[in-house]
Amino acid sequence: QVQLVESGGGLVQAGGSLRLSCAPSESMFGIKDMGWYRQAPGKQRELVATITLDGQSNYADFVKGRFAISRDNWKNTMSLEMNILKPEDTAVYYCGAEYENRKYWGQGTPVTVSS
């Protein structure tokens, strides 16, 4: 099993920035795909961005050009830099990881963007 611990959420005004971090309990050299997902109140969880072991990233259209995902396998940390935040970005953000053919989730960190 792997535990994922997110940090960095909070309250920010529209147009501002936040940086989320995810720290897994296992070495990231053994974790192929990682990603950030979000779930707004009353909505289903949706993909925000993913990154492979070798650093290839993929983004949802609604965050392209504003968010940047990264991972440092040596520091065992994955991050999501969020810029030009909008009120519609308000959600609980979850770190997800595929490890030994199973999907794991963190507990989530809330992000609130005020207008």
Side-chain angles (χ1 to χ4, degrees), residues 11-15 85-88 90 112-115:
L11 174 64
V12 65
Q13 287 189 332
L85 282 160
K86 305 175 181 179
E88 50 264 44
T90 295
T112 303
V113 184
S114 64
S115 56

Side-chain angles (χ1 to χ4, degrees), residues 3-109:
Q3 294 180 334
L4 305 170
V5 179
E6 301 105 331
S7 60
L11 174 64
V12 65
Q13 287 189 332
S17 299
L18 279 176
R19 184 180 180 88
L20 306 182
S21 294
C22 174
S25 59
E26 297 293 326
S27 169
M28 282 174 52
F29 285 105
I31 301 176
K32 290 191 300 183
D33 297 329
M34 299 186 73
W36 289 96
Y37 301 77
R38 71 186 188 185
Q39 187 166 15
K43 294 188 176 181
Q44 289 190 333
R45 191 172 298 188
E46 59 185 357
L47 181 148
V48 175
T50 60
I51 188 165
T52 63
L53 179 60
D54 60 359
Q56 298 208 21
S57 58
N58 181 56
Y59 296 92
D61 287 343
F62 53 77
V63 301
K64 282 182 180 177
R66 299 190 297 125
F67 291 12
I69 190 171
S70 61
R71 65 187 283 173
D72 187 328
N73 297 325
W74 292 105
K75 293 183 178 179
N76 226 52
T77 301
M78 179 185 66
S79 298
L80 183 70
E81 184 73 32
M82 305 186 295
N83 300 307
I84 318 174
L85 282 160
K86 305 175 181 179
E88 50 264 44
D89 294 318
T90 295
V92 177
Y93 283 71
Y94 296 90
C95 171
E98 185 177 323
Y99 179 73
E100 294 185 346
N101 296 316
R102 283 186 61 183
K103 191 66 172 282
Y104 292 89
W105 299 98
Q107 81 286 354
T109 184

